[in-house]
Amino acid sequence: MPDSNKRGPDKLPPLRDVIAANGLSPKKSLGQNFLFDLNLTRKISRAAGAGDGGTFYEVGPGPGGLTRALLSEGAGKVIAVERDGRCLPALEQIAAAWPGRLEVISADALKLDEAAILPRGVRIAANLPYNVGTALLIKWLTTPQWPPRWASLTLMFQKEVAQRITAAPGGEHYGRLSVLAQWRCTAKILFDVNRGAFVPPPSVTSAIVRLEPRAQPLAPAELSDLEKITAAAFGQRRKMLRQSLKPLGGEALLEKAGIDPTARPEDLKITDFAALARAFHH
Ligand code: SAM
């Protein structure tokens, strides 16, 4: 019988055995790179705040390594969405070991209406499938309501994506994703994760990123205006803004926003992009 202590060991079989028993040969098309290292899954769970209890949303539990760690570190409840039906028996086994604490939803997370299933204040923790990780992050960052229903994101990304999310102006990683993420959230890289921690190893190093929603975006702007400005500016990132923003108003727009027309997009702070979005708004 499973231990009934909140943080007790779950007495489930080792993950390698779970994978063998359920024939879970990793599928590249689903971004399946599994984590077996219990120290690492515990570290991610603690970074996500599992020790404080509460409800967590996990995208892509796979065989359940991170799910098990979230539960054993103290998550009150985990709502897990998995697209690969082969993983469901393993996840049901975890649900049975933690009665009432794990809800498994068999679905594509990109298509899920999260407002219908996630309680306010939910924390999101996931070792994301790399092929849809950025799309999911953008989905979470562009909810019409702000602050959003989620209280934090603790997510695994390819390191290069993590650097784009957290980049400051002036560097090669600074771009649309940095502006969008940091306009609405604080974002930082917590730690790197070596390729060898995954089965099979991905081609590049990964990193855990933590995002927390700001109560208010960094500066006022309409999201749709900000997206148009950053798409045009970074779409031609080597050009001066007076050139790349020509279709949106060019020099007149830059003057209205008080921005040097000869600047390039990587020179601009997020508040400058917000000023451009406000100047563009009509
Ligand atoms: N959480 C597990 C771990 O850490 O070992 C597995 C992580 S693996 C990188 C990504 C998981 O996301 C896989 O189990 C995959 O089947 C699942 N997945 C891929 N695309 C998905 C989608 N659109 N919606 C939900 N799950 C998805």
Side-chain angles (χ1 to χ4, degrees):
M1 283 295 288
D3 194 314
S4 58
N5 283 341
K6 205 174 169 212
R7 290 159 187 271
D10 59 21
K11 305 261 175 70
L12 288 159
L15 280 165
R16 281 180 197 280
D17 296 355
V18 171
I19 295 213
N22 293 283
L24 298 178
S25 49
K27 281 192 189 168
K28 203 171 178 186
S29 62
L30 287 172
Q32 291 183 336
N33 301 95
F34 300 136
L35 291 175
F36 291 157
D37 179 344
L38 299 183
N39 287 327
L40 180 59
T41 49
R42 282 195 207 110
K43 189 174 173 186
I44 298 169
S45 301
R46 284 197 294 270
D52 303 333
T55 300
F56 286 77
Y57 176 51
E58 185 189 359
V59 173
L66 182 58
T67 322
R68 286 161 63 158
L70 285 165
L71 289 163
S72 59
E73 286 298 317
K77 184 167 181 194
V78 177
I79 301 169
V81 176
E82 175 55 60
R83 192 178 171 183
D84 184 355
R86 298 179 308 158
C87 300
L88 298 180
L91 295 169
E92 289 311 329
Q93 212 182 358
I94 304 171
W98 296 94
R101 307 258 301 270
L102 173 61
E103 184 184 335
V104 180
I105 299 173
S106 176
D108 178 343
L110 281 170
K111 296 185 184 148
L112 206 60
D113 175 12
E114 289 166 354
I117 56 157
L118 299 182
R120 276 209 173 274
V122 69
R123 280 169 288 171
I124 303 182
N127 171 16
L128 291 176
Y130 287 147
N131 41 3
V132 294
T134 310
L136 279 166
L137 176 64
I138 289 172
K139 180 182 172 187
W140 292 325
L141 290 173
T142 55
T143 56
Q145 293 288 325
W146 202 267
R149 54 196 314 110
W150 48 268
S152 64
L153 306 174
T154 308
L155 305 171
M156 181 92 76
F157 287 101
Q158 289 169 292
K159 184 159 183 197
E160 190 266 333
V161 178
Q163 287 169 318
R164 287 202 276 129
I165 296 165
T166 57
E172 55 166 327
H173 295 292
Y174 188 61
R176 288 173 74 181
L177 199 54
S178 333
V179 175
L180 175 61
Q182 297 172 51
W183 177 59
R184 283 189 147 179
C185 295
T186 58
K188 63 177 175 189
I189 295 180
L190 296 187
F191 51 88
D192 288 355
V193 180
N194 290 329
R195 300 168 56 234
F198 300 87
V199 177
S203 52
V204 293
T205 302
S206 299
I208 292 285
V209 180
R210 168 108 180 157
L211 295 110
E212 289 175 15
R214 299 181 191 278
Q216 305 274 345
L218 208 51
E222 286 293 322
L223 173 62
S224 58
D225 295 330
L226 188 66
E227 287 185 314
K228 284 186 197 116
I229 295 287
T230 55
F234 287 107
Q236 303 183 68
R237 63 181 297 141
R238 280 176 228 297
K239 296 221 169 112
M240 290 181 196
L241 291 164
R242 68 174 172 217
Q243 181 66 28
S244 57
L245 295 185
K246 223 173 213 168
L248 304 182
E251 296 223 17
L253 177 83
L254 287 150
E255 193 180 326
K256 195 171 162 195
I259 308 287
D260 174 2
T262 65
R264 290 183 168 75
E266 68 263 26
D267 302 327
L268 263 54
K269 298 192 292 284
I270 293 168
T271 48
D272 295 331
F273 282 108
L276 280 166
R278 290 196 301 277
F280 174 69
H281 186 73
H282 42 242

